[in-house]
C-alpha cells in the first residue's frame, strides 16, 4: 500500500523494453485527450443543463477555466518536488471522482463545486503532461513525442462537439460527465504500471526569460485554433451535423501535422497557415491546411520552452505551457465573440 503515498517504479519487464518511453506518452495522451474532450463536450450540453437547473450555464465553464489556469504552475512546482507520477495519478483519481459528482449533482451549486474539483484534478494532469513526455524520451525525439501529445489534445477537442450533441440528445446531459469515468479508471491503472518514478533533484535553472518566445508562440497558436472554432457555428447556415464536421476539420489537420510532421519549423508552419487563408478550395479543406500549419507550430514552440529549462523544473515548464494554451484559448474565444457581436 506504500504506492498511495510515494511513487512506485514500473515493473522491470516494462522498464527495460525499448518502447517503454512510448508507453509513457500513450498514458499521458489519456489525460491530454480527456482534458480537451471535457472542455469542448460540455458546451453542447449547456442548454440541457440550463433547463434542468434553471440557471445560467456560463459558470459551468468559467469556474472550471479560472481554477485550472490559476493552479497549473503551482501544481507543476509541487510535482517537481514530490514526483510527477504520483501527482498525475492522483489528478486522474480526483478528476474521475469529480466527474461522478457532476453526474449526480443535486443542485446547480453542487455542480459548480464538482466542476471546481474537476479543474483541480485537470491542473494536476496538465501541469505534468509535457514534463512527463520530455523526460521520458531522448532530446532528438522530443519534438515528435510532444507532437503526439498535442495531437491527443486536438483529437479530444475535435471529438467534443461531435460526441457531446449525440450523448446529450440520447442519454441526457449527465452523459457528458459520465464518459470521463471509464477513461479515468483505465488511465489510473496505466499510470501506475507504465509511468516511471520522476522525482528529481532541483537544479539551478537557466534564465526564465528564455522561455518567453516559445510561450508566446503557444499562446498565439491556440488563439488562432480556437477563434474560428468559436466563430464558425455562428456564421454557417448549414445543418448542425455539417457544421460539426466542418469545425472538426481544423483540429483534425492540427492532429495530423503534430503527429506526422516533426521536421518542419515554426516559420514553415506559419507560412502554411497563412497560405490556407487564400487557398481557392472548399472551406473544410482550407481548415485542414490551416490546422496543419498550426500543428507544426505548437509542438515546436513547446519544445523550445522545455529545452530552455532544466529537467528539475520540467513541471513548472509544463505548467507554463498549459497556461499559455489556456490564455490562447481564451483570447481566441474572446476575439471570435467580439466579431460575432460586432457584425450581428
Amino acid at each position: 500500500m506504500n504506492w498511495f503515498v510515494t511513487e512506485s517504479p514500473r515493473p522491470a519487464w516494462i522498464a527495460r523494453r525499448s518502447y517503454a518511453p512510448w508507453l509513457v506518452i500513450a498514458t499521458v495522451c489519456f489525460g491530454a485527450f480527456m482534458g480537451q474532450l471535457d472542455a469542448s463536450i460540455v458546451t453542447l450540453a449547456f442548454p440541457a443543463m440550463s433547463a434542468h437547473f434553471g440557471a445560467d450555464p456560463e459558470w459551468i465553464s468559467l469556474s472550471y477555466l479560472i481554477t485550472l489556469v490559476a493552479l497549473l504552475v503551482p501544481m507543476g512546482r509541487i510535482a517537481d518536488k514530490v514526483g510527477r507520477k504520483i501527482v498525475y495519478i492522483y489528478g486522474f483519481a480526483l478528476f474521475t471522482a469529480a466527474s461522478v459528482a457532476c453526474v449526480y449533482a443535486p443542485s446547480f451549486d453542487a455542480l459548480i463545486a464538482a466542476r471546481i474539483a474537476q479543474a483541480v484534478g485537470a491542473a494536476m494532469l496538465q501541469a505534468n503532461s509535457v514534463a512527463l513526455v520530455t523526460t521520458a524520451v531522448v532530446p532528438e525525439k522530443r519534438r515528435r513525442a510532444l507532437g503526439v501529445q498535442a495531437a491527443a489534445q486536438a483529437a479530444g477537442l475535435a471529438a467534443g462537439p461531435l460526441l457531446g450533441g449525440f450523448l446529450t440528445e440520447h442519454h441526457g446531459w449527465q452523459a457528458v460527465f459520465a464518459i470521463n469515468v471509464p477513461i479515468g479508471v483505465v488511465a489510473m491503472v496505466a499510470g501506475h504500471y507504465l509511468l516511471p518514478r520522476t522525482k528529481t533533484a532541483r537544479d539551478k535553472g537557466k534564465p526564465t526569460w528564455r522561455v518567453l518566445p516559445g510561450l508566446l508562440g503557444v499562446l498565439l497558436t491556440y488563439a488562432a485554433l480556437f477563434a474560428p472554432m468559436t466563430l464558425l457555428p455562428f456564421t454557417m447556415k448549414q445543418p448542425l451535423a455539417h457544421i460539426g464536421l466542418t469545425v472538426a476539420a481544423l483540429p483534425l489537420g492540427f492532429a495530423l501535422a503534430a503527429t506526422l510532421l516533426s521536421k518542419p519549423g515554426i516559420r514553415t508552419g506559419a507560412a502554411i497557415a497563412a497560405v490556407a487563408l487564400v487557398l481557392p478550395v472548399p472551406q473544410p479543406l482550407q481548415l485542414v491546411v490551416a490546422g496543419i500549419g498550426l500543428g507544426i507550430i505548437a509542438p515546436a514552440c513547446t519544445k523550445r520552452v522545455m529545452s530552455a529549462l532544466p529537467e528539475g523544473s520540467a513541471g513548472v515548464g509544463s505548467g507554463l505551457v498549459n497556461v499559455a494554451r489556456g490564455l490562447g484559448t481564451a483570447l481566441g474565444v474572446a476575439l471570435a465573440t467580439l466579431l460575432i457581436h460586432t457584425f450581428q
Side-chain angles (χ1 to χ4, degrees):
M1 301 299 287
N2 192 47
W3 68 275
F4 279 106
V5 293
T6 59
E7 289 191 326
S8 57
R10 293 174 291 184
W13 67 271
I14 291 177
R16 59 174 173 258
R17 292 287 187 270
S18 60
Y19 53 80
W22 293 101
L23 295 177
V24 175
I25 295 164
T27 304
V28 170
C29 284
F30 275 110
F33 178 85
M34 192 165 76
Q36 293 300 320
L37 177 72
D38 186 75
S40 58
I41 199 173
V42 169
T43 58
L44 274 294
F46 276 173
M49 286 186 278
S50 179
H52 180 87
F53 291 109
D56 190 339
E58 64 181 15
W59 279 103
I60 298 171
S61 281
L62 288 176
S63 60
Y64 181 91
L65 291 172
I66 292 170
T67 304
L68 177 64
V69 172
L71 292 181
L72 281 169
V73 174
M75 284 299 179
R77 189 172 295 277
I78 291 170
D80 284 336
K81 184 176 181 180
V82 305
R84 297 173 197 127
K85 175 177 181 174
I86 195 167
V87 172
Y88 196 78
I89 292 174
Y90 274 118
F92 261 121
L94 178 57
F95 190 92
T96 304
S99 296
V100 175
C102 288
V103 172
Y104 294 103
S107 66
F108 188 71
D109 289 341
L111 178 62
I112 296 301
R115 285 289 283 169
I116 291 173
Q118 262 192 325
V120 176
M124 296 167 74
L125 294 172
Q126 292 189 25
N128 280 287
S129 58
V130 175
L132 285 166
V133 170
T134 55
T135 55
V137 299
V138 294
E140 56 268 24
K141 293 184 178 180
R142 283 179 184 168
R143 168 72 181 275
R144 184 183 175 195
L146 290 168
V148 172
Q149 189 259 352
Q153 288 187 316
L157 185 64
L162 301 176
L163 197 56
F166 174 82
L167 289 175
T168 303
E169 183 178 356
H170 294 281
H171 303 285
W173 63 265
Q174 293 88 345
V176 303
F177 298 112
I179 195 174
N180 295 328
V181 178
I183 299 174
V185 171
V186 171
M188 282 187 282
V189 175
H192 174 62
Y193 287 103
L194 301 181
L195 293 179
R197 285 185 292 191
T198 59
K199 186 177 179 181
T200 56
R202 292 280 294 180
D203 44 11
K204 293 182 179 180
K206 302 171 187 176
T208 55
W209 58 264
R210 293 182 59 189
V211 307
L212 293 179
L215 291 174
L216 180 61
V218 171
L219 186 150
L220 294 176
T221 299
Y222 277 80
L225 180 66
F226 272 85
M229 291 185 67
T230 303
L231 185 63
L232 286 172
F234 290 92
T235 58
M236 296 179 66
K237 304 302 181 184
Q238 288 84 2
L240 187 60
H242 181 84
I243 294 174
L245 289 171
T246 302
V247 170
L250 187 60
L252 174 63
F254 186 101
L256 288 173
T259 306
L260 302 176
L261 303 179
S262 59
K263 298 208 180 279
I266 295 172
R267 291 181 180 178
T268 301
I272 293 172
V275 167
L277 298 176
V278 295
L279 279 179
V281 295
Q283 190 176 43
L285 183 57
Q286 192 179 41
L287 291 170
V288 169
V289 175
I292 289 172
L294 297 175
I296 292 171
I297 298 170
C301 289
T302 301
K303 182 185 177 183
R304 179 172 292 187
V305 172
M306 301 307 292
S307 297
L309 294 170
E311 185 174 314
S313 297
V316 173
S318 182
L320 288 170
V321 167
N322 281 288
V323 168
R325 286 173 176 168
L327 293 176
T329 299
L331 176 61
V333 172
L335 289 174
T337 304
L338 178 63
L339 289 172
I340 291 167
H341 288 296
T342 300
F343 293 103
Q344 269 186 342

